[in-house]
Amino acid sequence: MTLDPDDMTPVLNRLKRAQGQIGGVIRLIEEGRDCQDIVTQLAAVSRALNRAGFAVVSSGLRECLANPESDSTADRELMEKLFLTLA
């Protein structure tokens, strides 16, 4: 299944933000910062990645609903599997 590139723009923005956060986590570790600061930033990165993944799955589900004439059973099963991978 191919996703609409316009639907992926917010996902890309979220991933770029997460990429910056990962750089921040690396700097915190290199600077010997407090464990709480590091874990707080790691949690933020984790949430950002989860939200990006769920946004991809959501877009895929919308695509399945918008194009019911395609092999929707296989697509729905794939989207369910991907959703459960993230859950």
Side-chain angles (χ1 to χ4, degrees):
M1 168 187 313
T2 304
L3 300 175
D4 182 358
D6 292 334
D7 287 345
M8 293 297 101
T9 300
V11 173
L12 287 172
N13 291 338
R14 188 178 301 276
L15 290 172
K16 289 175 184 177
R17 200 169 326 125
Q19 185 178 32
Q21 289 173 314
I22 290 171
V25 171
I26 292 169
R27 280 190 302 281
L28 290 174
I29 293 170
E30 290 173 344
E31 294 170 0
R33 297 285 296 271
D34 184 60
C35 176
Q36 183 176 355
D37 294 338
I38 294 167
V39 171
T40 299
Q41 287 304 308
L42 284 172
V45 171
S46 179
R47 281 191 305 273
L49 292 175
N50 283 336
R51 288 181 179 158
F54 285 119
V56 170
V57 170
S58 175
S59 180
L61 289 172
R62 280 193 308 274
E63 185 68 30
C64 286
L65 293 172
N67 297 314
E69 66 278 352
S70 68
D71 186 12
S72 60
T73 301
D75 288 342
R76 280 193 307 260
E77 289 173 359
L78 173 62
M79 297 314 301
E80 180 180 353
K81 182 178 178 180
L82 292 174
F83 174 82
L84 292 173
T85 298
L86 292 172

